[in-house]
Amino acid sequence: MLTKSKAIVIKSIKYGEQKLVVDFYTSSFGRMTSVVKISEKKGGKFRKQYFQPLTILTVEAEYREQSAMQRISDVQIAAPCPSLHSDPVKMTIGLFLAEILYHVTRQESDDEGLFAFLEHSILWLDATESGIANFHIAFLVRLVGLLGFLPSHHEYHEGEAFDMMTGEFTSSLPLHTHVLRGDEAHAMSNVLRMNYTNMHLFRMSRQQRNRCIEMILLFCRLHLPAFPEIKSFAVFQEFFRNV
């Protein structure tokens, strides 16, 4: 049975001469992988530009739960995001976040709240012209929370440490070494307060911003055993060194 669903492109890789293997996160099925045959001819269903990272699509698929590859019969752009695929800054942010999504959503089934957050975030980034320097940090904090790795409250008092294993601030040091202290614990308290509305109020240097991302990525590695080093982070850092 064919079913329509919104889908966000997470990753696409070339497969042979005219095919792509595409990973999606969908509103109806969660994570989904398909092989699509690219056609650039007039009237072709599957254009290469449809499968750029973080593109929001409507796909028609014959979904079979036990199948590793799902067959897509039709695809349409659900929400054009022109600046996301033309603005170099937004493109770099998008590639970085898409790589993280590829790893953190591998085991995710359908989750309307998570999909709604991803869709809203992509549309927000595309529509916003300035003040996006902390966007990726605010995005990752909310994402980690939705995946269940952070408690709902993050009250911080001066001098406390941040326990990376529990995701909580504490006045007593844990027995393990995965703990942030001093300025880094204070920086984490600021990071956990960020959202798209207030993130422009948090002033940071490039070095401070990179360290915040490193802390979040370490947090992900501690809570997701299969979470690897993010290859695009080095590209991300190099790009913003020259911006």
Side-chain angles (χ1 to χ4, degrees):
M1 177 178 169
L2 293 176
T3 304
K4 283 191 175 183
S5 174
K6 276 191 172 182
I8 295 169
V9 177
I10 296 174
K11 183 179 181 179
S12 63
I13 58 175
K14 190 174 181 181
Y15 178 64
E17 291 301 314
Q18 292 182 290
K19 294 180 180 179
L20 296 174
V21 177
V22 186
D23 286 284
F24 305 91
Y25 189 74
T26 72
S27 59
S28 300
F29 318 118
R31 186 67 175 263
M32 185 178 82
T33 304
S34 300
V35 176
V36 296
K37 187 174 181 180
I38 299 301
S39 174
E40 299 300 338
K41 295 180 180 179
K42 186 176 181 180
K45 286 185 179 181
F46 304 123
R47 302 293 183 90
K48 189 174 182 178
Q49 61 265 32
Y50 292 173
F51 304 104
Q52 297 178 80
L54 302 189
T55 302
I56 303 172
L57 303 170
T58 299
V59 299
E60 188 172 53
E62 186 177 342
Y63 186 79
R64 297 182 180 182
E65 190 172 347
Q66 303 304 318
S67 178
M69 291 285 179
Q70 307 299 333
R71 188 178 71 83
I72 293 178
S73 60
D74 194 23
V75 60
Q76 297 178 4
I77 298 290
C81 295
S83 74
L84 198 64
H85 300 122
S86 60
D87 182 291
V89 171
K90 294 182 180 181
M91 288 173 65
T92 304
I93 292 173
L95 289 171
F96 173 61
L97 297 181
E99 184 181 356
I100 293 173
L101 288 174
Y102 175 76
H103 296 292
V104 302
T105 62
R106 278 184 171 180
Q107 306 302 321
E108 290 297 309
S109 56
D110 58 304
D111 182 330
E112 291 183 1
L114 177 57
F115 185 89
F117 162 71
L118 297 178
E119 181 180 34
H120 167 74
S121 299
I122 293 167
L123 294 174
W124 192 97
L125 179 60
D126 177 67
T128 304
E129 296 182 358
S130 61
I132 61 171
N134 292 326
F135 173 84
H136 46 296
I137 297 176
F139 175 94
L140 291 175
V141 168
R142 178 65 174 148
L143 175 65
V144 169
L146 286 170
L147 293 173
F149 302 146
L150 284 173
S152 57
H153 301 289
H154 314 291
E155 188 174 355
Y156 168 77
H157 298 96
E158 190 68 32
E160 287 186 326
F162 182 73
D163 187 330
M164 297 283 273
M165 300 303 295
T166 64
E168 296 179 327
F169 292 100
T170 176
S171 57
S172 57
L173 291 178
L175 296 177
H176 57 79
T177 59
H178 300 300
V179 59
L180 302 177
R181 304 171 64 178
D183 290 344
E184 289 196 337
H186 185 259
M188 181 61 81
S189 73
N190 286 332
V191 163
L192 295 175
R193 291 162 47 212
M194 278 191 196
N195 56 51
Y196 299 153
T197 301
N198 69 15
M199 65 184 187
H200 66 284
L201 300 175
F202 294 85
R203 303 290 183 180
M204 289 188 284
S205 68
R206 177 171 50 81
Q207 291 81 3
Q208 289 171 325
R209 194 169 288 116
N210 284 339
R211 181 53 186 153
C212 286
I213 299 171
E214 289 172 349
M215 291 189 294
I216 297 171
L217 294 180
L218 173 59
F219 190 86
C220 289
R221 282 195 294 276
L222 290 173
H223 292 270
L224 282 171
F227 191 83
E229 294 287 337
I230 300 300
K231 295 178 181 178
S232 61
F233 186 39
V235 177
F236 181 91
Q237 290 175 298
E238 183 62 29
F239 176 85
F240 284 100
R241 183 177 290 116
N242 300 313
V243 171

